[in-house]
Amino acid sequence: MFEQRVDKCLQMLAGVIDSGRPNAFKCAFPGRKSSGTWRLEYAPKGFGGAHSGRHLYNMNGGNVNEVDYFFMRRENMEQKPSEDTIILRLPNRENRLPDVTLYVRDQESTVLNEALDNLPWTFLSWSIHRGLRDLLVAFSKERMDRYRDCLAKTLSLAVLNMPEKLNARGWDPQFVRHEMAGMASSAVLAGQGNSGDAVRVVTDIAAILWDGDASTLDETHFWRQKTPEPCSAILSPMAVVALVKCFVLEWSLDLDYQMYHDLPLELYLG
């Protein structure tokens, strides 16, 4: 049985990462934009003034006034970006072509790294706010690709070395012995996909590498590290959890957060 957390599902659909702790990290993400050049702008407690998933977040008991926000502003093409600016390519909202150029400055990069470290843990893929997914997948891609081989090897070795733990979690011993390692490795190396089965395989292998309580998986300190962890065939459990949470983003289904406009009124008043 794979647990799915309804509160986190709704937050991710609304485009909000909420750590749920005292002095919590709460940040919301913008939707897709039209083709062109844009600049990401971090606005503390700015979600209340945004045209994003704030109505959906409010309808599910959230308080938008507590949530930070990333605005996307049209960029002045005559002004060159600073040296610390990261340039991302994102899909546009009309036809998903990757012709949206986004400038990400140092302050915004710091907050994005914190967002990656505060992604909620899940054993299943998300139905997710497409702007959140687009931005975090693009921002993390270079580092994910750097660790992809190492993550695949670490997961494969875990299956080979700890099959009894997977058997105890309900997996078929024949599947564990013959297919599980290869399936996990192939999914990680693919970079993206839409197989819920592959996500469940990868996340459950990651779970057996974590000695602590599952409730502690929501926060890692991997993406914010000043000195990156060396890439080896045996990554630390924290690195595995952080990378697998990002893997789940790559394999999640993005949705238009404004779909609630088309829902029947009875759902709001029932």
Side-chain angles (χ1 to χ4, degrees):
M1 179 66 68
F2 291 91
E3 176 190 7
Q4 188 62 294
R5 303 155 70 190
V6 175
D7 59 337
K8 296 302 180 184
C9 289
L10 294 172
Q11 289 169 9
M12 295 295 276
L13 184 58
V16 177
I17 295 177
D18 180 350
S19 67
R21 300 184 307 275
N23 301 316
F25 176 85
K26 295 183 180 182
C27 192
F29 287 72
R32 285 181 179 160
K33 301 298 183 184
S34 299
S35 304
T37 302
W38 301 76
R39 168 175 45 85
L40 195 66
E41 181 180 296
Y42 173 62
K45 306 299 181 285
F47 194 27
H51 182 69
S52 185
R54 62 187 175 91
H55 299 301
L56 187 59
Y57 187 70
N58 267 337
M59 285 190 297
N60 288 290
N63 181 356
V64 297
N65 298 319
E66 300 174 348
V67 183
D68 302 340
Y69 187 67
F70 283 116
F71 285 98
M72 285 176 65
R73 309 290 194 190
R74 282 283 187 184
E75 181 66 352
N76 182 357
M77 297 299 295
E78 297 179 358
Q79 184 176 354
K80 292 185 178 180
S82 60
E83 292 184 359
D84 63 0
T85 298
I86 297 171
I87 301 176
L88 304 179
R89 299 284 188 269
L90 305 177
N92 68 44
R93 68 183 179 190
E94 287 81 20
N95 54 23
R96 301 173 62 100
L97 290 175
D99 56 7
V100 172
T101 300
L102 181 64
Y103 293 160
V104 181
R105 299 170 301 183
D106 189 60
Q107 180 190 15
E108 284 70 24
S109 293
T110 299
V111 181
L112 287 174
N113 281 322
E114 188 171 3
L116 285 167
D117 269 332
N118 281 282
L119 281 170
W121 174 258
T122 178
F123 285 98
L124 306 173
S125 55
W126 300 108
S127 294
I128 192 171
H129 181 284
R130 59 189 184 180
L132 184 156
R133 181 182 182 273
D134 291 345
L135 185 47
L136 288 184
V137 167
F139 180 72
S140 63
K141 186 179 188 318
E142 181 181 349
R143 283 172 290 175
M144 273 295 292
D145 288 346
R146 191 186 314 153
Y147 283 93
R148 209 172 287 280
D149 285 342
C150 303
L151 178 60
K153 291 175 183 176
T154 300
L155 295 174
S156 295
L157 286 173
V159 176
L160 295 174
N161 294 332
M162 294 181 281
E164 69 285 349
K165 289 190 175 183
L166 293 163
N167 296 342
R169 294 174 70 88
W171 292 97
D172 178 72
Q174 291 295 320
F175 174 72
V176 172
R177 185 175 300 112
H178 297 295
E179 290 96 22
M180 194 172 197
M183 186 173 178
S185 178
S186 295
V188 168
L189 294 175
Q192 62 179 357
N194 59 8
S195 168
D197 291 338
V199 171
R200 289 190 289 272
V201 165
V202 170
T203 55
D204 223 30
I205 298 171
I208 69 171
L209 292 170
W210 186 259
D211 291 331
D213 189 271
S215 63
T216 63
L217 295 174
D218 283 347
E219 184 182 14
T220 60
H221 296 277
F222 175 81
W223 300 99
R224 289 171 285 181
Q225 290 181 126
K226 298 298 183 183
T227 303
E229 178 172 329
C231 187
S232 65
I234 303 179
L235 293 170
S236 70
M238 182 187 72
V240 171
V241 168
L243 292 166
V244 165
K245 288 197 290 184
C246 197
F247 160 83
V248 173
L249 288 186
E250 296 175 332
W251 283 68
S252 289
L253 175 66
D254 56 75
L255 293 176
D256 182 355
Y257 60 86
Q258 295 193 60
M259 69 177 187
Y260 67 86
H261 288 304
D262 300 322
L263 297 177
L265 187 62
E266 289 79 5
L267 286 180
Y268 304 141
L269 303 179

